Amino acid sequence: MIPRYTRPEMASIWSPESKFQIWFEIEAHACDAQAKLGVIPEDAAKAVWERGKWNIDRIDEIEREVKHDVIAFLTNLAEHVGDEARFVHQGMTSSDVLDTCFNVQLVKAADLLIKDLEDLLVVLKRRALEHKHTICIGRSHGIHAEPVTFGLKMAQAYAEFDRCLARMKMAREEVATCAISGAVGTFANIDPFVEEHVAEKLGLTVEPVSTQVIPRDRHAMYFSVLSVIASCMERLAVEVRHLQRTEVLEAEEYFSAGQKGSSAMPHKRNPILTENLTGQARYIRAMCIPAMENVALWHERDISHSSVERNIGPDATVALDFSLVRLTGMMDKLVVYPDNMLDNMNKLGGLPNSQRVLLALTQAGVSREDAYRLVQRNAMKVWDSKGDVHLLELLKADSTVTEKVSVAELDELFNMDYHTKHVDTIFKRVFGE
């Protein structure tokens, strides 16, 4: 990812320094296990820890010659460790190092993403409670439907990202495995105890059967979860973008002093953060398909997945980390306009109450088809007048309606509190007691 969309905490996980540190720890822990088994001298395992060093430039230099990254690393490590380095990598294969390291990095990335989601949930809960009873119009197909509250919108987002948090934790567990099983994964040249020891030291679990690589269905699931989270992020971003439209203006991104919205039009205040999040979501989702295609490797292994993962591992996690932090900041400072919400809800002269009138007529003995026709013929007059006339007044003047529902009953049918009477129930479902 470009620096513009990169936070240092996540970038450091994918740095060469971090990668080679993990490689070293894998090899050193494996040496400890081999020493416990008596396969290598204990002094050799100690020497690896004490003298083990590496230099990135030197590794790159060696790799230009040998065309193999793990061999380049081991060669440079041996230059520092000395004669005891002959015991390093005993019975292991490159994938043992590469796959275990990749999973360690994905676990560390997951820990950051879990923290990001937890921070976002705190903000969404605060905004939901703040606007629990802030009434606004609900929309289906982008058209006025029935009243909701802005707090319910926030509660919906909270519930969605709470599910995302659970998925992210599950993805972390799914990918937190270790493979130190040697060529084609049979442990022919290395004892399974080595794998168990390394896994424990790195906070991983052993891969039950790894062939020569850790099965990529685990990684496909991990990146699929990132894609789902990105889609949920986009859903909330699109909601804010729609609410910020000039014709709506029920909420908008915070516009700071000195900020400029357009190089051409000084009056502009554009939803740049949420538009950016929509773009980031598209980018993150695009990495799900290559992860899926990585599952089908040849026989016990090939490396067609390797080049893909070198890209999508850092890029997807860096992009999602940046985006979640941006979303949290944007929602924290989101400016909400309750008065505009009321004005918009009242633009169409009581039409959001049409269903309630329909139901009252059916309860009074009118067939659903006739009730629908009675309400709709009045509602369309309101629609065509663009709200200049009110549905309630038209219904009161319609004798076919008042024969079944009294004027007093009609008045009560337009009480907006009716639509929000179960907000507490929904909030208890989302946030608990």
Side-chain angles (χ1 to χ4, degrees), residues 20 55-65 72:
F20 290 128
N55 179 274
I56 293 173
D57 291 337
R58 177 61 177 146
I59 293 171
D60 290 342
E61 179 186 358
I62 297 169
E63 186 178 356
R64 283 192 289 272
E65 176 186 351

Side-chain angles (χ1 to χ4, degrees), residues 61-134:
E61 179 186 358
I62 297 169
E63 186 178 356
R64 283 192 289 272
E65 176 186 351
V66 301
K67 308 296 190 295
H68 196 292
D69 53 355
V70 175
I71 291 176
F73 171 76
L74 293 172
T75 301
N76 181 227
L77 183 65
E79 292 173 342
H80 294 278
V81 173
D83 182 62
E84 291 90 344
R86 72 183 190 273
F87 295 111
V88 175
H89 207 67
Q90 286 277 314
M92 294 169 61
T93 187
S94 298
S95 293
D96 292 335
V97 177
L98 295 171
D99 280 14
T100 300
C101 174
F102 188 48
N103 281 8
V104 169
Q105 290 173 304
L106 290 175
V107 166
K108 290 183 175 183
D111 287 337
L112 276 183
L113 294 171
I114 287 168
K115 175 64 165 54
D116 294 341
L117 287 165
E118 289 172 341
D119 291 345
L120 175 59
L121 287 170
V122 169
V123 170
L124 291 175
K125 182 176 182 179
R126 176 173 60 79
R127 300 314 302 259
L129 293 172
E130 177 186 356
H131 292 286
K132 182 177 181 180
H133 299 293
T134 302

Side-chain angles (χ1 to χ4, degrees), residues 117 120-122 124-125 128 151-167 228 232 235-236 426-432:
L117 287 165
L120 175 59
L121 287 170
V122 169
L124 291 175
K125 182 176 182 179
L152 283 175
K153 288 178 180 283
M154 296 297 97
Q156 178 277 316
Y158 179 96
E160 194 165 286
F161 281 103
D162 194 42
R163 293 192 294 274
C164 287
L165 176 60
R167 294 183 188 112
V228 171
C232 296
R235 181 182 184 189
L236 183 53
I426 298 171
F427 266 62
K428 286 178 182 176
R429 290 178 175 182
V430 175
F431 302 111

Side-chain angles (χ1 to χ4, degrees), residues 213-224:
V213 293
I214 292 175
R216 257 46 194 184
D217 63 290
R218 295 185 181 277
H219 305 80
M221 189 273 217
Y222 185 98
F223 287 99
S224 296

